[in-house]
Amino acid sequence: MSKCEQCIVRQFSSLKALKKDELLSLSNCKTFYTVKKGEPVFTEGENLKGIFCVKDGICKMTKLSANGNEQIVKLISKGELLGQRSLISEEPVNLSAVAIDDMEVCFIPKAEIMGFFNTNNEFSMNVMRSICGDLKDADDHVVTMAQKSVKQRLAEVLLYLYDNFGTDEADNSLTIKLSREELAGMIGTATESCIRLLSDFKKNGLIILSGKKIILTDIDALRKM
């Protein structure tokens, strides 16, 4: 387990504002553990007793609809923090966080984080900016779901995976390998509709499919869509 002051991923989150003595204090109180693929970091409705820093791996933030379908709101990768809004609002988390590959996570107790709020203004502002960014993303997501067709939403999700997570060097397939159910959960449609749309994209020369692997072959056309 690395010390917080030597950890590279903290530079990607609100923790970058912490001073050396604060990082030493953080190292002494954090808990490090692994989360296996498919396991939850936390579950919707849970009362968190701190926040989570993603050291490695990726998780999906999900919401269960009334009919039991899983809606994927966003993906979280290394360097990002989980549970900030819930910590400040003192409310249960409104989303679940589930590992889509093996993760390494550090848990930081609430008392330690709230102490930084009282002593480090830059840290406080960073957290506020992060939460404001999440609110903006949520607004954009609502507009996308309301105003764009399912076909446009699928193109947008494929480009999101391409732009944010890249491709494998070996075959140029998207690095993030989502199941058809997970893709359907990201675009807000039935799995059958997602499978049919992927097939249409393939026929039109936009993508190549091989199991879970998806290769984007006409990125310009997807962006125009």
Side-chain angles (χ1 to χ4, degrees), residues 190-203:
T191 303
E192 295 78 12
S193 297
C194 181
I195 292 170
R196 191 163 54 249
L197 277 172
L198 286 170
S199 180
D200 289 344
F201 278 21
K202 180 182 177 181
K203 288 176 185 175

Side-chain angles (χ1 to χ4, degrees), residues 168-183:
D168 287 342
E169 291 182 6
D171 57 11
N172 287 325
S173 64
L174 294 174
T175 301
I176 304 298
K177 308 291 191 287
L178 298 177
S179 68
R180 300 299 185 254
E181 290 80 9
E182 287 171 327
L183 270 178

Side-chain angles (χ1 to χ4, degrees), residues 3-21:
K3 296 180 179 179
C4 293
E5 64 270 25
Q6 298 169 344
C7 183
I8 295 172
V9 300
R10 69 178 172 82
Q11 295 297 331
F12 303 118
S13 72
S14 308
L15 300 177
K16 65 186 177 185
L18 298 184
K19 301 178 179 68
K20 187 174 181 179
D21 61 326

